[in-house]
Amino acid sequence: MGGEGDTTFSHDPLTEEGSSIDQEFPEQTSDKHKFSEESSRAKVENGSSKGDFDLNFESLDSGFGNACYPSSFLAEQRWALNVCADLLASYDELPCDSAGLEEAKSRILSYRPGSWIEEVGGLALSDYHLPDTTTILLIGPKGSGKSSLVNKISKVFEDDKFASERAQVSCHTSAGEGTYFLHEYMIPRGSNAFCLYDTRGMSDDPSGNMRLLKHWMTKGVCHGELVKRASDDGILESRMKCKARQIGDQNAKVRMVNFVIMVVNAISVLESMERGHAETKRYTKIIAEAFNNPFLSFKDDKPVVVVTHGDLLPISDRVRVRLHLGTLLGIPPRTQIFDIPESNDLKTELAIVGLLRHCLEHADSNLPIKTYWLPLLLVAISVAFAFYQRAHKGSASSDIHIDWHTIRHLWY
């Protein structure tokens, strides 16, 4: 196959013998057939038409047999087809049995900060700074479903299925005020192993979002903290301050964030993909700008993404949304983008357990390592200062006494 600009065709190579997909990419044929079978299943289950299951497959397929496209382009399109087939198959997979799900949930419930640390580089568990509670921060645009996700996760690990929902949810984002205060939710209730932090939705102001994210990631988060923006008008700010006086969480503990979940609305992402005007495209722009904020990453680990409201869309559109987000954010759509619908079934619970397992494992893998040179430096300074004081008082160096008991905390 020639490279870009090597050969010019005045005909469609797909009509020529020897230029078909089967001959150019024989190993791709089975993947295409598999994909066709998977898409057929999706159409039967969801009642969607071929038009619904678009994904521009016709244009992608034609590219495989056209030598005027560069090899990098063809590889990209082939990757997209394979990923789409993989994503589609994931919706058709049978959920695990209830016993397997309970075992997976019990592993989450037995978690303690540092439980899943991999002792690499000759380090032991005692070499890490372990938090009292592993803190997972939820971020996303207003109406993305952060509070609903908190409730769904909490329900999965609740023994009392009749317990009320913990997070306040706004049914209509245009009418509801949304979340203005940081809220801490221990999972499950009464535990202190890990918690979710619900936050105020991101705005259309990228610089304002960046300031908030930097503050939370560097200074920590605190239950009941009022989240203010420079763009808040006087009436809104007065109303929020009034609510803040009623809450009174001044003594709440500040927690450092250990991992981040970005929550996005599948319908808003799809509108951003399909409509060309700037108003709808702004949604994915906000997501991309926030996701790429370096303060949200832990070394090489980027946040996970949760797609909500997917149950209101056909499977084909849910696949398109995840593929688009994976390409936009540079993360694998199958393993780092979790589609969690509003339904309450085994598959949804399994997705939630998988989400938390990913977050907790990566939070543990990036815990800070203790720095032993700092306490040693402080001890050295203390000894030097003691010598200095004794020398100026004319005392012999042998009279110097350091109360090691009072500075024992420097060793921990």
Side-chain angles (χ1 to χ4, degrees):
M1 179 179 294
E4 185 177 12
D6 292 344
T7 310
T8 302
F9 292 94
S10 58
H11 58 275
D12 184 356
L14 289 177
T15 63
E16 297 292 322
E17 185 178 359
S19 298
S20 66
I21 297 174
D22 292 13
Q23 291 174 335
E24 287 287 340
F25 295 100
E27 69 276 15
Q28 178 69 15
T29 307
S30 60
D31 290 340
K32 285 175 59 59
H33 291 326
K34 175 186 176 183
F35 188 81
S36 299
E37 293 170 4
E38 295 292 341
S39 61
S40 299
R41 268 202 300 274
K43 284 186 286 185
V44 171
E45 292 176 358
N46 297 280
S48 60
S49 64
K50 179 69 171 68
D52 290 331
F53 200 72
D54 190 331
L55 279 168
N56 294 322
F57 292 135
E58 290 81 1
S59 61
L60 295 183
D61 289 346
S62 63
F64 286 116
N66 197 333
C68 68
Y69 287 104
S71 57
S72 60
F73 172 82
L74 299 179
E76 209 171 295
Q77 306 312 306
R78 184 173 177 181
W79 169 84
L81 280 173
N82 289 336
V83 172
C84 287
D86 189 40
L87 288 173
L88 187 61
S90 70
Y91 289 100
D92 199 37
E93 290 173 352
L94 292 174
C96 68
D97 56 79
S98 56
L101 178 60
E102 290 303 317
E103 181 181 353
K105 287 165 61 175
S106 67
R107 297 195 67 179
I108 298 289
L109 290 171
S110 63
Y111 169 82
R112 293 296 178 269
S115 294
W116 292 328
I117 282 180
E118 295 184 19
E119 297 182 356
V120 295
L123 297 172
L125 187 62
S126 58
D127 293 318
Y128 293 87
H129 284 289
L130 302 182
D132 297 330
T133 300
T134 298
T135 302
I136 301 173
L137 184 72
L138 273 60
I139 64 169
K142 182 180 178 182
S144 58
K146 297 183 295 297
S147 300
S148 295
L149 180 62
V150 169
N151 290 331
K152 289 193 70 64
I153 292 174
S154 184
K155 282 286 187 183
V156 169
F157 297 97
E158 288 285 343
D159 292 329
D160 183 5
K161 297 301 180 183
F162 297 98
S164 61
E165 292 189 337
R166 302 172 70 182
Q168 176 63 56
V169 177
S170 298
C171 292
H172 300 284
T173 55
S174 58
E177 291 187 339
T179 301
Y180 285 127
F181 299 86
L182 296 181
H183 288 272
E184 177 182 285
Y185 297 96
M186 292 292 179
I187 306 295
R189 303 182 205 224
S191 171
N192 64 351
F194 70 95
C195 66
L196 304 175
Y197 254 85
D198 195 6
T199 64
R200 186 178 181 183
M202 296 184 297
S203 69
D204 295 337
D205 175 23
S207 60
N209 293 333
M210 295 305 109
R211 283 193 296 271
L212 273 179
L213 295 176
K214 180 180 179 181
H215 175 77
W216 292 334
M217 298 304 294
T218 58
K219 305 297 183 183
V221 289
C222 181
H223 177 73
E225 178 184 340
L226 174 62
V227 181
K228 295 187 293 183
R229 293 198 187 99
S231 58
D232 292 335
D233 59 47
I235 297 176
L236 176 60
E237 192 169 345
S238 298
R239 186 165 67 248
M240 289 193 299
K241 286 182 178 179
C242 179
K243 291 182 178 181
R245 287 196 297 270
Q246 297 171 7
I247 295 178
D249 291 309
Q250 295 86 354
N251 297 323
K253 184 174 183 177
V254 176
R255 300 191 189 278
M256 299 307 296
V257 177
N258 301 112
F259 205 70
V260 178
I261 298 174
M262 173 170 279
V263 186
V264 301
N265 187 324
I267 298 174
S268 299
V269 174
L270 189 63
E271 289 178 347
S272 179
M273 293 165 55
E274 294 182 338
R275 299 181 183 177
H277 50 82
E279 183 68 24
T280 54
K281 286 188 175 297
R282 187 168 56 189
Y283 189 85
T284 49
K285 184 179 180 181
I286 291 172
I287 292 171
E289 288 176 341
F291 187 89
N292 291 318
N293 185 330
F295 287 101
L296 297 187
S297 297
F298 294 83
K299 298 177 184 176
D300 291 330
D301 281 342
K302 296 181 178 180
V304 296
V305 176
V306 168
V307 177
T308 61
H309 302 95
D311 50 310
L312 301 177
L313 300 172
I315 296 291
S316 57
D317 286 338
R318 294 162 76 171
V319 169
R320 293 175 62 197
V321 166
R322 290 173 71 182
L323 177 63
H324 179 75
L325 288 173
T327 305
L328 178 71
L329 305 177
I331 56 177
R334 175 75 185 264
T335 58
Q336 208 166 335
I337 300 178
F338 293 83
D339 185 343
I340 299 182
E342 290 299 311
S343 56
N344 296 311
D345 52 27
L346 286 179
K347 293 181 73 173
T348 301
E349 288 193 24
L350 185 62
I352 289 174
V353 171
L355 167 69
L356 291 180
R357 182 65 187 261
H358 180 103
C359 293
L360 296 175
E361 283 185 347
H362 286 260
D364 277 359
S365 67
N366 291 302
L367 288 174
I369 300 172
K370 294 178 181 178
T371 52
Y372 293 103
W373 61 267
L374 182 59
L376 291 174
L377 177 62
L378 293 175
V379 170
I381 292 174
S382 300
V383 172
F385 183 69
F387 271 101
Y388 175 80
Q389 284 186 318
R390 292 291 185 180
H392 279 267
K393 292 180 180 178
S395 301
S397 59
S398 58
D399 295 334
I400 296 175
H401 173 71
I402 298 175
D403 189 353
W404 298 101
H405 178 75
T406 60
I407 62 171
R408 67 187 186 281
H409 63 282
L410 298 177
W411 299 98
Y412 299 96

